[in-house]
Amino acid sequence: VCSSDLLNVGFLGAFTTFSTYSMELLNLFLRGEIALGIFFAVLNIIGALLFCFIGYYLLNLFLK
């Protein structure tokens, strides 16, 4: 596997994932579900940050 293939797959995977997230969020707002859309966005951001911190903590714990 070429490193450029891994980069392309990673980039395209992240791009399509973010596109799907954005489209779902837009659909909530367009359907008038503003509160649910805001909750969805905030929960995703907090969840992503939380799991990043957990991963970082566990990595440092196992590397010591």
Side-chain angles (χ1 to χ4, degrees), residues 6-62:
L6 293 175
L7 180 64
N8 287 335
V9 169
F11 174 75
L12 294 176
F15 182 69
T16 56
T17 300
F18 189 73
S19 296
T20 302
Y21 165 75
S22 299
M23 193 65 201
E24 290 295 326
L25 187 56
L26 178 63
N27 282 333
L28 286 172
F29 287 131
L30 291 176
R31 288 194 313 250
E33 299 181 52
I34 305 301
L36 186 58
I38 291 171
F39 178 71
F40 177 68
V42 169
L43 189 63
N44 273 286
I45 292 168
I46 290 172
L49 286 172
L50 177 66
F51 282 108
C52 282
F53 284 124
I54 291 171
Y56 183 78
Y57 173 77
L58 290 175
L59 177 67
N60 284 322
L61 185 68
F62 289 120

